Amino acid sequence: MEAPISVLPGIGPQRAKLLEKLNLFTVDDLLHFLPRGYRDYNQTTLIAQVELGEEVVIRAQLASQPREVRLRGGMTLIQVKIEDDSGLIECVWFNQPFMKRALTGEDSLYFIGRASRRQGRVQLLNPTIEKLNPAKDEALPLMPVYPLTQGISQKVMRNLAIAALEYSRGKIADALPQRLRQYCGLCEAGFAIENIHFPKDREALRLAGRRLSFEELLYFLAAVAHLKGERLALTDGQACIYDATKFNAAIEALPYDLTGAQRRALDEILADMAQNKPMNRLLQGDVGSGKTAIAALALYAVYLSGRQGAFMAPTEILAAQHEESLKEFLKPLGVRIARLSGGMPAGKRRDLLAFLERGQIDVLVGTHALLQDDVRFQALGLVVTDEQHRFGVGQRARLADKGKGVDVLVMSATPIPRTLSLILYGDLDVSVIDELPPGRRPVQTSMVPERKRADMYRFILKEVAAGGQAYIVCPLVEQSETLEVHSAQELYRQLAKGPLKEIALGCVHGKMRPAEKEAAISAFTAGEIKVLVATSVIEVGVNVPNASIMVIENAERFGLAQLHQLRGRVGRGSRQSYCFLMGGDLSQTARERLELLTQTQNGFELAQKDMELRGPGEYLGTQQHGTLDSQLLRLTQNLQEVYEVREIVEMLSSDANWQVEAELVFKAAMARHVKRLKSIAMN
Ligand code: ADP
Ligand code: MG
């Protein structure tokens, strides 16, 4: 199964290259490449019953010849009417001239898409088309729908899955020990793989999903338990011993009182650091809850104990921001802070590293540039990393390896439901700051209907005139970064020509070179740019206290947690801030989901709701956890399953009856874990 994908019929070098974008290299990758959903072609919707905003599958015929209309700005529009026994509906495609060719033949076509209202008319906007061969396909109740990349169609993906299954028929080895598999009531691997791609029926799909997600969770939680066991056995940490009088004086000197939640987190951290075991703690809290302040205090304690600290941030911009705020707080206390940046002249860098090695720098801030071999500390005591989903466990460990028994503190602004984090971060202890400092004005959040768009732009102009700044985040385009970038550039052009032409606009997106991206963000930070049009890249975390408006286009395409993260970019300064959620015609459920955001500012509450609404698998699937990036987890149906697997892991670790199976499982778990760490470290 480790054979390269090119052994399958129909895959030449060109197609193989495209598939690499989906991380598909081997036949095995293909077998484990899951559909993102299934479509029931027997459950079509009659045209007369189409509702706005709901995704529908319509089986229909062409009722008119496709018409191509040229719009301003080089855009094209394809229009066609389709009909079934119940009525007629119009389909339109923007900028997809090739659709004209697809719209031929007298066969029944399946149109999959959402209905929306444009200029008073109900239309299917950019629907996908499927031509199914009734003789061959009708027997299948559920057809897989795969994530795609440019140049690979649904049909190609399906044929590849069929080819991979054929290639490996009868050869799929079951990684789970049989006795354990039967004890847990799981189906065989071969059955699971086959039915996850082409389910015989819904029950077979359920069994297949359960087996695959169970296995994935089992290996993940087993690895976590194993790592934790290893860590607890370590005693080579150094107790952090410091002058409590000086430390408390620093807390007294803060311009504010710590919140109760901050105090609790700080106490947990200090208690860990006082032990002669390395700390491995996750500090979670909403943006602005005061995590950095707590991290700074932990760094101060380490400084007082005579050792050094490192602070790793995901981008140069964030590193620079952290350097600033750490200096503001720690410099008056005598702490020497320096930043190692990527673009540093060689001579300066050499000097800085020499200072560091001689212990003349107390806290070093930087990006993963800190991981380089020539970065040597005199006595590293504490590593703090920011925004943990950007770093893998492997990277954290590499930094910690630069000292002996180094304490590690991981800060994350991604709130995860507590129940889930206790399980998923089993290798970390968790502190939560679930309270914002007093006096914060909540970000006024509202859903803006399309007809109020012009009003909103006027509001932005007014805010900018009053000294504010705004972000406009473009629709998330799943699986196609190119399309996402196009939509950002397009929106930027429209705004610059039209409603916002009087003010300085900028644009950032994922296809820009890092230097360009940073230049745009710096200009925004400096206030030279008033409105920043961006793809979701800004989620990573820029701190512009002056920014008071966050507009999110097609908000329904984002997860709640993600929207909350984006909203956290505003409301950081003293002015009243606003978050505007745009979304065309929304289904009832989409609307209800978005309304939650207008009701609460609490990230943990939203994360919990998000998980309840979407199920843990889907919820996890859209998160990027350093340790956890398997799409197989998307299959996890409920939290109960997670607990169930955890119990099995406990049984394996403690029950002598299961020793044989336990050895196999832990060995396989660590092998997978190491493989995954490697792939994370490479990214
Ligand atoms: P986070 O790292 O969680 O985003 P920060 O530590 O950067 O939060 O704090 C955000 C802002 O709030 C900073 O300007 C900080 O000085 C301030 N701050 C932190 N803790 C408190 C507090 N207890 N009371 C008032 N302001 C605080
Ligand atoms: Mg911060």
Side-chain angles (χ1 to χ4, degrees):
M1 297 320 109
E2 291 301 325
I5 240 167
S6 54
V7 301
L8 300 177
I11 302 197
Q14 218 174 356
R15 201 161 260 179
K17 195 106 213 121
L18 291 172
L19 291 168
E20 282 179 13
K21 286 202 195 134
L22 295 168
N23 277 326
L24 297 173
F25 299 93
T26 64
V27 174
D28 196 53
D29 292 339
L30 207 47
L31 291 177
H32 287 89
F33 187 68
L34 300 192
R36 64 176 161 81
Y38 301 86
R39 199 159 280 143
D40 188 341
Y41 286 91
N42 296 319
Q43 283 196 7
T44 51
T45 302
L46 290 175
I47 288 177
Q49 283 162 4
V50 168
E51 288 191 33
L52 288 178
E54 299 287 352
E55 192 186 70
V56 289
V57 179
I58 295 173
R59 183 177 186 167
Q61 279 148 354
L62 301 186
S64 72
Q65 285 300 317
R67 209 159 64 88
E68 185 169 339
V69 184
R70 299 204 161 269
L71 305 177
R72 268 181 308 168
M75 303 239 294
T76 59
L77 181 74
I78 303 285
Q79 281 175 323
V80 75
K81 288 204 175 71
I82 61 169
E83 66 179 345
D84 64 10
D85 294 340
S86 73
L88 271 170
I89 191 169
E90 188 173 52
C91 298
V92 293
W93 290 269
F94 282 100
N95 274 344
Q96 302 182 18
F98 47 86
M99 286 309 295
K100 217 165 129 181
R101 261 177 293 137
L103 290 163
T104 51
E106 281 119 58
D107 301 342
S108 274
L109 295 171
Y110 289 83
F111 295 83
I112 303 109
R114 271 174 227 284
S116 62
R117 195 190 300 275
R118 206 173 64 92
Q119 293 166 356
R121 296 213 297 254
V122 176
Q123 301 175 323
L124 281 189
L125 184 61
N126 300 330
T128 30
I129 298 184
E130 297 248 16
K131 292 182 188 180
L132 294 187
N133 177 347
K136 235 173 75 190
D137 300 323
E138 202 119 327
L140 293 168
L142 296 167
M143 288 285 270
V145 180
Y146 294 96
L148 299 175
T149 184
Q150 207 122 28
I152 299 283
S153 70
Q154 210 49 260
K155 190 163 221 157
V156 169
M157 254 343 282
R158 281 181 197 149
N159 286 336
L160 283 177
I162 291 171
L165 284 169
E166 231 138 66
Y167 179 86
S168 50
R169 178 140 305 141
K171 288 187 280 191
I172 297 176
D174 205 317
L176 286 181
Q178 191 182 1
R179 186 163 79 113
L180 183 65
R181 180 173 68 72
Q182 285 169 345
Y183 179 81
C184 301
L186 302 172
C187 67
E188 284 177 32
F191 178 91
I193 295 284
E194 199 146 315
N195 280 279
I196 208 69
H197 289 282
F198 298 99
K200 213 158 50 161
D201 49 42
R202 286 189 188 275
E203 178 58 10
L205 176 60
R206 192 187 64 80
L207 287 173
R210 178 175 144 81
R211 147 82 204 216
L212 294 174
S213 68
F214 198 100
E215 179 178 340
E216 191 69 9
L217 274 173
L218 179 68
Y219 287 128
F220 176 71
L221 294 179
V224 160
H226 187 79
L227 288 174
K228 183 157 194 173
E230 278 186 345
R231 183 161 61 80
L232 288 178
L234 287 177
T235 48
D236 68 341
Q238 290 190 33
C240 173
I241 298 164
Y242 56 89
D243 183 336
T245 318
K246 280 191 181 157
F247 187 76
N248 290 330
I251 296 184
E252 284 302 313
L254 283 172
Y256 46 74
D257 292 333
L258 294 180
T259 62
Q262 276 176 312
R263 185 71 244 187
R264 206 163 45 239
L266 180 62
D267 288 343
E268 286 164 358
I269 291 165
L270 293 175
D272 279 4
M273 287 171 47
Q275 294 203 11
N276 63 351
K277 287 177 189 192
M279 165 169 81
N280 224 343
R281 185 169 282 277
L282 174 70
L283 178 59
Q284 275 197 317
D286 261 331
V287 167
S289 60
K291 295 181 298 296
T292 311
I294 296 306
L297 283 166
L299 286 167
Y300 185 52
V302 167
Y303 160 79
L304 289 176
S305 81
R307 292 205 291 162
Q308 293 164 297
F311 194 122
M312 187 160 73
T315 64
E316 292 285 351
I317 298 174
L318 283 171
Q321 279 179 0
H322 279 306
E323 181 197 13
E324 287 280 299
S325 50
L326 289 177
K327 272 189 174 156
E328 193 181 306
F329 171 52
L330 294 175
K331 213 172 155 194
L333 298 169
V335 183
R336 292 161 298 181
I337 298 168
R339 178 161 66 95
L340 180 71
S341 76
M344 223 168 196
K348 221 176 143 200
R349 178 188 161 92
R350 205 172 334 112
D351 291 347
L352 189 148
L353 292 179
F355 285 141
L356 184 72
E357 201 164 0
R358 286 202 299 265
Q360 289 163 321
I361 290 171
D362 302 311
V363 174
L364 184 66
V365 186
T367 60
H368 45 264
L370 299 187
L371 298 175
Q372 286 156 354
D373 285 336
D374 58 348
V375 179
R376 286 183 292 266
F377 292 81
Q378 188 194 45
L380 181 62
L382 172 66
V383 165
V384 179
T385 65
D386 182 19
E387 310 284 336
Q388 74 77 228
H389 65 278
R390 306 280 299 183
F391 298 114
V393 186
Q395 288 176 310
R396 255 183 260 143
R398 257 165 76 199
L399 191 50
D401 276 346
K402 290 181 181 287
K404 244 188 89 205
V406 172
D407 289 323
V408 176
L409 181 65
V410 178
M411 302 197 307
S412 170
T414 314
I416 293 170
R418 192 163 184 120
T419 37
L420 214 50
S421 73
L422 285 176
I423 300 167
L424 298 182
Y425 290 102
D427 66 326
L428 299 178
D429 299 304
V430 183
S431 292
V432 173
I433 306 185
D434 51 4
E435 179 186 349
L436 287 182
R440 289 283 160 79
R441 279 200 255 180
V443 179
Q444 266 187 38
T445 306
S446 48
M447 291 167 69
V448 179
E450 206 44 49
R451 66 193 149 78
K452 293 245 173 104
R453 183 177 281 276
D455 291 346
M456 182 186 73
Y457 289 134
R458 273 194 289 278
F459 185 81
I460 292 178
L461 290 175
K462 218 173 67 192
E463 274 288 299
V464 168
Q469 287 173 279
Y471 296 99
I472 299 181
V473 177
C474 295
L476 183 73
V477 183
E478 221 182 328
Q479 309 305 337
S480 173
E481 206 187 345
T482 314
L483 272 181
E484 188 165 320
V485 169
H486 279 167
S487 83
Q489 288 168 333
E490 182 56 36
L491 183 63
Y492 169 74
R493 272 194 293 271
Q494 281 174 12
L495 293 175
K497 274 191 304 197
L500 301 179
K501 63 170 177 284
E502 294 144 48
I503 52 181
L505 290 187
C507 184
V508 278
H509 57 70
K511 285 269 167 82
M512 284 166 123
R513 270 176 281 127
E516 287 178 296
K517 222 188 286 182
E518 278 166 30
I521 292 178
S522 303
F524 186 66
T525 313
E528 291 151 22
I529 287 173
K530 299 299 181 194
V531 175
L532 190 64
V533 178
T535 53
S536 47
V537 291
I538 59 159
E539 199 191 337
V540 176
V542 249
N543 189 6
V544 183
N546 208 37
S548 56
I549 298 181
M550 168 65 65
V551 178
I552 304 171
E553 296 284 346
N554 284 102
E556 77 280 2
R557 296 202 192 162
F558 293 90
L560 280 181
Q562 233 177 337
L563 289 168
H564 178 66
Q565 286 291 102
L566 286 169
R567 174 169 68 177
R569 299 295 130 216
V570 297
R572 301 183 145 216
S574 51
R575 57 174 67 242
Q576 174 62 54
S577 296
Y578 304 87
C579 176
F580 299 128
L581 305 171
M582 312 298 292
D585 292 302
L586 296 176
S587 67
Q588 184 69 15
T589 41
R591 181 169 297 280
E592 278 168 16
R593 204 164 63 89
L594 291 181
E595 263 163 13
L596 290 171
L597 275 158
T598 65
Q599 290 154 10
T600 178
Q601 305 274 329
N602 184 323
F604 288 94
E605 209 178 307
L606 282 167
Q608 181 69 34
K609 283 269 164 53
D610 205 12
M611 186 181 75
E612 284 166 15
L613 283 170
R614 294 198 288 171
E618 195 56 30
Y619 174 80
L620 288 169
T622 52
Q623 305 280 317
Q624 299 167 288
H625 298 291
T627 42
L628 192 81
D629 53 352
S630 171
Q631 49 154 354
L632 285 175
L633 276 166
R634 282 192 172 221
L635 298 169
T636 307
Q637 290 307 317
N638 52 47
L639 210 51
Q640 202 46 47
E641 194 179 324
V642 185
Y643 283 112
E644 204 182 312
V645 176
R646 191 162 79 149
E647 261 167 41
I648 296 292
V649 171
E650 271 161 21
M651 176 185 91
L652 289 174
S653 345
S654 58
D655 189 339
N657 253 324
W658 288 94
Q659 203 178 345
V660 178
E661 286 80 9
E663 263 169 40
L664 289 168
V665 167
F666 281 109
K667 208 170 132 209
M670 286 315 289
R672 276 203 204 190
H673 187 69
V674 168
K675 192 172 153 202
R676 184 160 297 160
L677 287 187
K678 279 201 189 121
S679 74
I680 291 169
M682 267 166 21
N683 286 330

